[in-house]
Amino acid sequence: MTDSVQLDPYEGPAGGWGSAKSLTEILLREQIPVTGGLMLRHQNKPGGFMCVSCAWAKPGKPAVFEYCENGAKATAWEVTRKRIGAEFFAAHTVTELTGWRDYDLEELGRLTVPLRWDAASDRYLPVSWDAAFAEIGAELKALDPKAAVFYASGRASLETSYMYGLLARLHGSNNLPDSSNMCHESTSVALPESIGSPVGTVLLEAFEHTDCILFFGQNPGSNAPRMLHPLQDASRRGVPIITFNPFRERGLERFTNPQAPLEMLTKSETRISSQYLQVKAGGDFGAIYGICKALLALDDAAIASGAERVLDTAFIAEHTHGFEAFAASVRGKSWDELERRSGLTRKALEQTAATYAKAKATIGVYGMGLTQHRMGVETVQALVNLLLMRGNIGKRGAGICPVRGHSNVQGQRTVGITEKPELVPNDKLRELYAFEPPMEKGLNTVEACEGILDGSVKAFVALGGNFIRAVPETALMEEAWKTLRLTVQISTKLNRNHLIHGEVAYILPCLGRIEIDEQAGGRQAVSMEDSTACIHGSKGYAEPAGPELLSEPRIVAGIAKATLTPNPRIDWDRWGGDYASVRDAIEATYPDQFKDFNARMWTPGGFRRPIPAADRTWKTDTGKANFVTPRSLSADPDTEQADPEVMRLITMRSNDQFNTTIYGYDDRFRGVKGTRMVLFMNRDDIARLGLRDAQTVHLVGATDDKVVRRVEGFRVLAYDIPTGCVGGYYPECNPLIPLWHHAERSKVPAAKSVPVRIEAASA
Ligand SMILES: Nc1nc2c(c(=O)[nH]1)N[C@H]1C(S)=C(S)[C@@H](COP(=O)(O)OP(=O)(O)OC[C@H]3O[C@@H](n4cnc5c(=O)[nH]c(N)nc54)[C@H](O)[C@@H]3O)O[C@H]1N2
Ligand SMILES: Nc1nc2c(c(=O)[nH]1)N[C@H]1C(S)=C(S)[C@@H](COP(=O)(O)OP(=O)(O)OC[C@H]3O[C@@H](n4cnc5c(=O)[nH]c(N)nc54)[C@H](O)[C@@H]3O)O[C@H]1N2
Ligand SMILES: [Mo]
């Protein structure tokens, strides 16, 4: 640990001067003139480019600067002046580079030439695009289609994603895992059963009309900072914002808008949360049940006194199914159990229920704190139940609001990136392209990992991402990865997954979304879908990082042409040269969702796909919104061990990273500087386990499956979190997560409740 490591409580608000300073530092480091706000001016604007960071909604009437600190960092990271080309790879063996830190690899700058790993010299050597496509095609053709996996990280555009999904299906499988499988898949499984739509029901304007916001397990200050603007406005209107989070996240406490000069000069802050409940990791399930129980009691009291009912009985009768069974299950739970599971007091939950009971329109917001648990699906459904009790779906100012991660992760699913054939319009594909789409379920992320471990998966094509770093069970996965026959990484920057590679390995460098994309059909634009199902066009403004880069659609087209038998109905070159023609194909495949796609993609604020649940049309098995009653309230059976030394590890993001991309070693809002190897712990646990603040410790997995899981060298940091829980950063902690430790129904790795033990390092 170096001397520069500091652990100081951060006293400021989210946003504010700290944000401006942090951004300036990164612009300087990436050699982008600080006055070059020029690029950022186009960010998230109609006619501009859509941020490559998070998926938060983009308003129709944007601010002058519609970007945040982290969105600007993501832009700077992509338009950096730094480059790596053939000379760099000639100078370093791959084995040597595997010793480099994630930060140092990406700091090298943008990849500029296609590369093929050369076994004799253990180096990546430049290769022509034609030769790359030819060999990749030959390798894929030689394989049983089921042995090939086509992974997508949620950033690629709707156009690229559509082409990529078709490539996999024409090749013969539904092996299309995506980053959503590690993220909001719990949402994609939970919501269709509950309300018949797989995505959230709110639009941005709901925040202008809401009376109450229930906010579960999402950290907007770091991960969706533009969301602090509607939250700030709501708070100023006196809207209660009730937060459930084991950590006291600064962005959920107070905020200074770095783009409001008066606020900056006067250092004025807005309080964000009105009530802050530090729920135990995985305790939301119990907490939500507690609020439901208190709500039923308030309703009973209203009936007894003749006051207005607390439940929306008309809505429940007309629009829902299963209420009685759910209510009986809630009444059957004791307060003792609910307090124990949530780590919260009955009084606090009754207070939440009282606030909720008064609100005419409530939004339920959530992120990874709900989805990344063994019972992630059931927990999301419990939140929907709570909203349904007062008719809070399909009403102005109300709804369910999953905050999606990657900027187009929701859209990729919309246009066919999924391993589930039932989500694909196969009849349309048959009709349009005259082929028989594969009807067997493909592999999701966890299943792809299992297939790599057992040798049944032989080729892995990655459209973005740093898969090996993002998935659980890092140690076993890295070893197994080397046995793959073919690995193809379509990427912008060097990362660890390029260095852990297969026998035949390619790195294919692509244009980023912010760059000018000239093709045969002229300057191209792409499109993406935000967290609120609004679809936006996006046009690049920056000079491409190098003359040899190809766009993602061109790369997908290149692989497709080299791999597939020609299909007279698909002209891959035309698609790669004119993305409007891909949008026409998307519209033909999904006519209800993408009507007049090309004409509407520049609508300010985006155009919304129809979301039936938002209009109270329930596409469920019962034709109604379903109250789903769970089997038990145990959110994470593995962490509910009798042994008091087994802790629940929460793995999460710092303010200085985008997933596995590490921008820096500070986590300003949590007071951490110069390191990512900290272990956040409650003071009482530190004392109970005989440890000291700032002591060095190791973490070891606490499951009895005989696999040794271990990460060394954390520094203990006393922190205000519930006892029994500890916190650390992802991806450093990923070797501690068993592959099987995932949400039971969605297979999202349960990264927020990993059973671990703490070992003191010997002095
Ligand atoms: N700058 C930046 N932006 C990003 C990303 C990034 O890495 N950096 N990643 C993008 C992606 S892909 C995604 S999916 C999103 C992720 O955004 P988030 O959903 O915010 O993800 P995390 O940072 O993993 O953690 C979320 C929060 O959950 C809390 N938490 C942990 N366990 C629990 C629990 O059991 N219950 C409750 N109630 N809370 C809990 C943590 O304290 C933390 O505040 O952000 C996207 N945006
Ligand atoms: N323990 C733990 N593990 C987690 C999580 C957690 O909370 N805890 N979160 C999970 C979640 S929610 C997610 S989404 C995953 C994500 O995890 P990752 O796969 O790491 O996410 P990315 O940000 O997609 O990957 C970064 C890489 O994408 C490439 N890239 C960047 N821009 C582009 C582009 O425009 N095109 C292309 N082709 N490539 C590009 C760059 O080469 C970069 O190195 O991690 C998951 N893993
Ligand atoms: Mo994500």
Side-chain angles (χ1 to χ4, degrees):
M1 192 126 327
T2 64
D3 289 343
S4 64
V5 172
Q6 285 179 35
L7 305 171
D8 294 327
Y10 175 73
E11 303 297 346
W17 286 106
S19 166
K21 179 165 170 277
S22 167
L23 175 56
T24 306
E25 280 166 7
I26 193 158
L27 289 173
L28 285 172
R29 198 176 74 210
E30 299 307 317
Q31 300 160 10
I32 298 164
V34 180
T35 49
L38 211 58
M39 193 69 60
L40 297 171
R41 226 171 242 281
H42 298 293
Q43 192 151 333
N44 297 326
K45 296 287 183 54
F49 67 89
M50 293 302 135
C51 186
V52 293
S53 190
C54 80
W56 185 241
K58 285 94 189 159
K61 293 198 189 93
V64 179
F65 301 109
E66 187 59 40
Y67 60 85
C68 67
E69 169 190 344
N70 281 336
K73 279 185 198 166
T75 300
W77 178 92
E78 183 167 314
V79 300
T80 176
R81 298 257 179 105
K82 301 183 182 172
R83 303 282 180 270
I84 43 170
E87 320 75 58
F88 174 85
F89 290 99
H92 302 275
T93 64
V94 171
T95 306
E96 179 208 330
L97 291 170
T98 48
W100 289 32
R101 302 182 303 176
D102 297 300
Y103 172 88
D104 297 320
L105 293 174
E106 297 217 14
E107 240 339 89
L108 293 166
R110 291 286 300 277
L111 293 159
T112 51
V113 288
L115 298 157
R116 180 186 189 281
W117 180 66
D118 172 56
S121 64
D122 184 28
R123 284 179 169 80
Y124 272 108
L125 304 180
V127 58
S128 75
W129 282 103
D130 285 345
F133 291 144
E135 188 178 21
I136 294 166
E139 288 287 336
L140 286 172
K141 269 199 256 191
L143 282 179
D144 171 359
K146 292 196 192 68
V149 166
F150 294 85
Y151 173 76
S153 167
R155 188 182 300 227
S157 64
L158 291 168
E159 293 81 354
T160 308
S161 305
Y162 178 83
M163 293 168 67
Y164 194 65
L166 209 51
L167 158 64
R169 295 199 169 89
L170 286 159
H171 183 247
S173 88
N174 282 302
N175 288 346
L176 284 157
D178 63 353
S179 61
S180 177
N181 292 154
M182 294 183 253
C183 189
H184 268 291
E185 193 64 43
S186 300
T187 298
S188 309
V189 174
L191 295 188
E193 288 175 2
S194 292
I195 57 171
S197 299
V199 301
T201 64
V202 303
L203 281 169
L204 197 47
E205 68 197 26
F207 286 82
E208 291 166 27
H209 301 292
T210 191
D211 290 316
C212 177
I213 299 172
L214 302 175
F215 209 103
F216 290 88
Q218 204 273 335
N219 184 15
S222 291
N223 298 333
R226 288 182 304 104
M227 192 176 185
L228 294 176
H229 299 177
L231 291 177
Q232 182 183 36
D233 292 345
S235 168
R236 285 179 174 163
R237 283 196 297 116
V239 173
I241 300 176
I242 305 175
T243 293
F244 295 81
N245 197 313
F247 278 73
R248 293 196 70 92
E249 303 289 22
R250 185 46 47 90
L252 287 163
E253 294 188 312
R254 45 209 164 87
F255 173 56
T256 295
N257 184 350
Q259 295 170 10
L262 194 65
E263 274 179 50
M264 290 290 273
L265 289 173
T266 57
K267 295 200 170 167
S268 66
E269 307 171 346
T270 307
R271 181 274 299 154
I272 298 291
S273 299
S274 52
Q275 193 187 358
Y276 207 115
L277 300 173
Q278 286 180 273
V279 65
K280 267 192 204 166
D284 306 84
F285 208 176
I288 294 167
Y289 249 64
I291 306 167
C292 293
K293 189 173 172 75
L295 208 63
L296 288 177
L298 289 173
D299 191 59
D300 293 342
I303 296 172
S305 69
E308 195 186 330
R309 292 287 296 270
V310 170
L311 298 179
D312 185 340
T313 49
F315 173 83
I316 292 173
E318 186 187 343
H319 286 287
T320 72
H321 177 266
F323 174 70
E324 291 306 331
F326 172 67
S329 140
V330 171
R331 287 183 198 277
K333 300 290 173 204
S334 71
W335 276 111
D336 274 357
E337 177 180 357
L338 300 176
E339 287 191 325
R340 177 173 53 80
R341 290 200 183 279
S342 62
L344 301 172
T345 63
R346 171 177 178 175
K347 192 158 163 257
L349 296 171
E350 285 177 339
Q351 195 188 335
T352 307
T355 308
Y356 176 55
K358 280 196 225 112
K360 291 198 173 55
T362 297
I363 301 176
V365 179
Y366 66 95
M368 298 301 98
L370 289 200
T371 61
Q372 293 179 334
H373 289 286
R374 295 300 298 272
M375 298 297 146
V377 171
E378 292 80 352
T379 309
V380 171
Q381 290 179 328
L383 177 57
V384 175
N385 291 349
L386 175 61
L387 293 172
L388 292 176
M389 287 171 90
R390 287 185 45 76
N392 278 312
I393 303 239
K395 173 161 86 179
R396 190 167 125 125
I400 183 92
C401 179
V403 183
R404 299 276 171 165
H406 266 300
S407 50
N408 193 36
V409 65
Q410 185 166 316
Q412 293 199 326
R413 184 60 55 86
T414 306
V415 296
I417 301 283
T418 175
E419 75 283 2
K420 297 175 185 159
E422 66 275 19
L423 301 182
V424 183
N426 288 304
D427 289 343
K428 274 279 174 211
L429 295 185
R430 264 183 218 111
E431 175 194 323
L432 290 169
Y433 305 117
F435 81 111
E436 194 44 52
M439 297 309 285
E440 198 179 316
K441 191 190 156 299
L443 303 174
N444 61 26
T445 290
V446 162
E447 292 156 355
C449 291
E450 288 164 353
I452 293 165
L453 288 170
D454 71 21
S456 58
V457 167
K458 302 198 184 327
F460 195 93
V461 182
L463 179 60
N466 183 2
F467 191 82
I468 199 83
R469 231 24 202 133
V471 295
E473 205 81 274
T474 318
L476 295 183
M477 282 308 300
E478 285 202 354
E479 280 317 300
W481 199 268
K482 298 173 192 161
T483 65
L484 284 167
R485 167 67 188 170
L486 173 71
T487 52
V488 180
Q489 304 280 339
I490 304 168
S491 310
T492 50
K493 291 218 180 155
L494 190 65
N495 66 43
R496 187 160 178 89
N497 214 155
H498 302 122
L499 309 173
I500 312 293
H501 57 81
E503 214 175 316
V504 177
Y506 280 92
I507 301 176
L508 305 180
C510 64
L511 286 176
R513 190 189 303 159
I514 306 171
E515 286 161 314
I516 295 167
D517 183 354
E518 288 287 353
Q519 299 295 343
R523 189 178 285 201
Q524 301 299 312
V526 291
S527 55
M528 43 235 49
E529 175 178 336
D530 69 27
S531 262
T532 61
C534 291
I535 289 156
H536 308 259
S538 177
K539 218 182 315 176
Y541 283 83
E543 282 304 315
E548 286 196 53
L549 299 185
L550 288 187
S551 73
E552 290 177 325
R554 283 277 303 280
I555 295 174
V556 174
I559 297 176
K561 276 175 56 187
T563 308
L564 307 171
T565 341
N567 179 326
R569 305 212 186 179
I570 303 176
D571 184 344
W572 293 98
D573 285 333
R574 174 151 180 262
W575 277 354
D578 175 15
Y579 310 161
S581 67
V582 186
R583 290 187 285 275
D584 287 338
I586 294 176
E587 183 176 340
T589 313
Y590 305 90
D592 301 339
Q593 313 276 328
F594 289 94
K595 193 168 169 334
D596 300 329
F597 190 3
N598 274 301
R600 290 200 295 159
M601 67 188 276
W602 300 109
T603 311
F607 73 86
R608 186 153 207 228
R609 292 195 293 122
I611 304 300
D615 303 322
R616 296 196 167 174
T617 301
W618 316 105
K619 304 259 184 198
T620 58
D621 54 349
T622 60
K624 307 246 176 175
N626 288 318
F627 281 93
V628 182
T629 304
R631 279 176 287 121
S632 104
L633 290 189
S634 166
D636 285 288
D638 315 312
T639 52
E640 286 164 19
Q641 300 186 19
D643 184 343
E645 297 204 349
V646 174
M647 308 293 282
R648 269 180 216 196
L649 170 68
I650 299 171
T651 63
M652 60 194 174
R653 295 157 170 80
S654 78
N655 182 51
D656 242 359
Q657 74 183 86
F658 190 88
N659 297 334
T660 56
T661 296
I662 310 302
Y663 298 131
Y665 287 81
D666 297 344
D667 191 3
R668 198 169 77 248
F669 301 144
R670 299 197 186 105
V672 178
K673 286 196 189 128
T675 180
R676 293 176 52 83
M677 292 301 287
V678 291
L679 186 69
F680 299 91
M681 284 187 79
N682 181 292
R683 262 181 212 292
D684 292 344
D685 283 332
I686 297 179
R688 180 172 66 85
L689 298 175
L691 303 170
R692 282 174 291 104
D693 198 9
Q695 173 176 356
T696 301
V697 294
H698 311 316
L699 288 181
V700 286
T703 52
D704 53 11
D705 58 356
K706 309 276 182 292
V707 178
V708 178
R709 300 186 181 87
R710 187 178 177 85
V711 179
E712 300 202 336
F714 293 87
R715 183 145 134 176
V716 170
L717 172 55
Y719 215 76
D720 180 11
I721 55 171
T723 53
C725 305
V726 294
Y729 294 120
Y730 132 71
E732 287 79 355
C733 289
N734 284 32
L736 295 162
I737 311 177
L739 185 59
W740 50 263
H741 182 70
H742 53 68
E744 283 184 6
R745 302 209 33 232
S746 64
K747 299 213 171 167
V748 168
K752 298 292 184 269
S753 51
V754 186
V756 293
R757 288 174 203 281
I758 304 170
E759 231 181 64
S762 42

